[in-house]
Amino acid sequence: MSCQLSLNLRLKDGSSFSNFLAGPNREVLERLRTAVVTATTREKASEPMMYLWGAEGSGKTHLLQAACRLAQELGIAPVYVPLADVVELTPSLLEGVETAPLVCLDDVERAAGRKEWETALFSLVERLRAVGGMLVIGAIAPPDRLGLKLPDLVSRLAWGTGYALQPLDDVQKLEAVRLRAQHRGFEMPEDVARYILSRYPRDLPSLFDLLDRIDQASLTQQRRVTIPFLRRLEELGRENVETV
Amino acid sequence: MSCQLSLNLRLKDGSSFSNFLAGPNREVLERLRTAVVTATTREKASEPMMYLWGAEGSGKTHLLQAACRLAQELGIAPVYVPLADVVELTPSLLEGVETAPLVCLDDVERAAGRKEWETALFSLVERLRAVGGMLVIGAIAPPDRLGLKLPDLVSRLAWGTGYALQPLDDVQKLEAVRLRAQHRGFEMPEDVARYILSRYPRDLPSLFDLLDRIDQASLTQQRRVTIPFLRRLEELGRENVETV
């Protein structure tokens, strides 16, 4: 099934609860984790529906993927559906999804104004409720501010407990980058993290992409991550662009 | 602390419950997982001490690390102590370890005949029991066949529920290699897995090392993993050896 496929693809980079720098979002993390444990180890989730919203880079996708990862570790097969990636496809891929004990729907704002998708989401929420599965939603704003056309879908989404994710400040972003590096198995000295924050876009998705590239380069070249190493990487980046 | 350090180092390669091909060891996996969940989410573990034994490559280290990983995801800091790596150091590194809700001691046979280590392990088992922490042991044989000199240590280790890990057969090894590849984010076609099993040592630690090298090479060279790709990798390996 397509959404299973995207689950595998997107979990690759290793978003988990233990590499999430919670900062101001500690309570959301704890509640989500507890709900996933109860949903997978007992009959019912402590919270059958959680609605996480916040700006780009506030950690929604990370938390949804961490929930899926934990569920997998606990022995169940969750479903992760990133609407940003699948909304051009037919919503029939949501058929039967409710048999999973945990369903995570990400980028739900992308359904707005697409009648077939809005109807399909409404139906999925109903089916999940009927079978007692757990649903976690990630979206850019509260249900009534997504631009959805189907009032019933808005009201169903509002059933879930809503959590507003707070963005990290610069000190926390620095910690988040270093935590992520540590979980990938390399140490990022504080001066390197500061250097990165001072020179690159400070949104976390870009920072984590950069971390990927650094990790890959450091593995291939068998070099420690230092400021001179980063400078060399930047030069190489420029040379590659120029020769294209 | 040294053992925390080794925890980070050794968990890097990503041993988890979801990439463990259980085969004949399904029951051990389920019991360990349940015990870790109860130890971290409630007051007491369902099994305060589990003793996993089996030959090299039967999955002890994988399961101990999976237990630590799950505990981390559940928000606690476990301790993983691979005696093979630390037995040349002072056993005083075990001091205070019982404050962790989960302690995993691997390669326990390596303590045999080292009086200071045997005494330190005995003391740790007692302390863990007193505070109600969970202990998971990995060893090559049952407690009375490790060659331990301290009878009290043998009897304490025998308190734990013992689980004999069964080695995988060739079909299961093939599945294990493909499962591991899938979790690393690449597909290994069945013919490639068969090719590997027919040409390389069939113990799982060697096979997983090989998988690391293949993954790295396929990422660096941006190529899909096929039999011709593997042949080229073998040729390069030989050339490198010849030029050394």
Side-chain angles (χ1 to χ4, degrees), chain B residues 48-51 81 83 91 94-100 103-106 108 111 116-138 143 146 148 150-161:
Chain B
M49 182 170 159
M50 292 180 66
Y51 187 102
V81 188
L83 289 197
L94 296 181
E95 279 165 23
V97 155
E98 70 277 8
T99 54
V103 176
C104 294
L105 297 176
D106 208 353
V108 165
E116 284 192 347
W117 272 96
E118 290 200 22
T119 310
L121 286 180
F122 168 76
S123 161
L124 176 60
V125 175
E126 293 276 291
R127 271 150 34 218
L128 271 165
R129 194 184 171 221
V131 298
M134 183 180 170
L135 175 62
V136 187
I137 305 269
L146 294 182
L148 297 169
L150 190 65
D152 280 346
L153 176 58
V154 178
S155 76
R156 290 304 176 277
L157 293 180
W159 281 347
T161 322

Side-chain angles (χ1 to χ4, degrees), chain A:
Chain A
M1 200 166 67
S2 319
C3 47
Q4 294 281 5
L5 180 68
S6 52
L7 173 68
N8 286 333
L9 285 176
R10 304 253 313 217
L11 289 182
K12 222 168 72 170
D13 80 326
S15 296
S16 69
F17 285 120
S18 54
N19 70 5
F20 185 74
L21 199 280
N25 302 306
R26 167 67 52 196
E27 191 199 339
V28 192
L29 181 154
E30 299 289 354
R31 282 181 176 256
L32 179 59
R33 181 155 64 191
T34 303
V36 170
V37 172
T38 58
T40 53
T41 59
R42 299 175 207 177
E43 283 298 294
K44 267 181 109 62
S46 53
E47 292 195 68
M49 183 169 159
M50 292 179 67
Y51 187 102
L52 275 46
W53 64 274
E56 182 84 10
S58 60
K60 304 179 297 290
T61 297
H62 190 135
L63 284 174
L64 265 58
Q65 294 189 353
C68 287
R69 184 172 291 267
L70 175 57
Q72 273 186 337
E73 279 307 292
L74 293 170
I76 69 149
V79 171
Y80 173 76
V81 187
L83 288 197
D85 294 353
V86 301
V87 84
E88 302 297 338
L89 310 175
T90 163
S92 67
L93 63 83
L94 296 180
E95 279 166 22
V97 156
E98 70 277 9
T99 54
L102 171 67
V103 176
C104 294
L105 297 177
D106 208 354
D107 325 303
V108 165
E109 67 278 2
R110 300 297 289 269
R114 294 172 189 261
K115 198 176 161 215
E116 285 193 347
W117 272 96
E118 291 201 20
T119 311
L121 286 180
F122 168 75
S123 161
L124 176 60
V125 176
E126 294 277 289
R127 272 149 36 219
L128 272 165
R129 194 183 170 221
V131 298
M134 181 180 171
L135 175 63
V136 188
I137 305 268
I140 201 115
D144 57 354
R145 284 196 271 137
L146 294 181
L148 297 169
K149 305 282 182 254
L150 191 63
D152 280 347
L153 177 58
V154 178
S155 76
R156 290 304 177 277
L157 293 181
W159 281 346
T161 321
Y163 295 94
L165 289 172
Q166 306 301 328
L168 302 184
D169 64 27
D170 280 357
V171 174
Q172 290 162 335
K173 280 181 188 168
L174 193 134
E175 280 177 57
V177 169
R178 296 183 73 197
L179 178 67
R180 188 92 166 202
Q182 191 197 333
H183 272 258
R184 299 184 70 127
F186 70 97
E187 281 302 318
M188 173 170 290
E190 196 177 331
D191 61 335
V192 174
R194 279 187 195 286
Y195 177 85
I196 288 173
L197 277 180
S198 70
R199 290 179 57 99
Y200 290 90
R202 293 183 186 189
D203 65 297
L204 282 171
S206 309
L207 287 171
F208 291 148
D209 278 350
L210 176 67
L211 207 61
D212 273 351
R213 295 204 302 277
I214 294 173
D215 189 16
Q216 186 66 36
S218 131
L219 273 173
T220 314
Q221 301 170 34
Q222 299 277 316
R223 291 208 33 208
R224 279 195 315 121
V225 177
T226 58
I227 292 177
F229 171 78
L230 285 189
R231 289 217 173 100
R232 179 76 193 121
L233 208 62
E234 289 164 9
E235 280 164 25
L236 282 172
R238 275 194 296 274
E239 283 163 21
N240 284 343
V241 171
E242 281 158 15
T243 56
V244 163

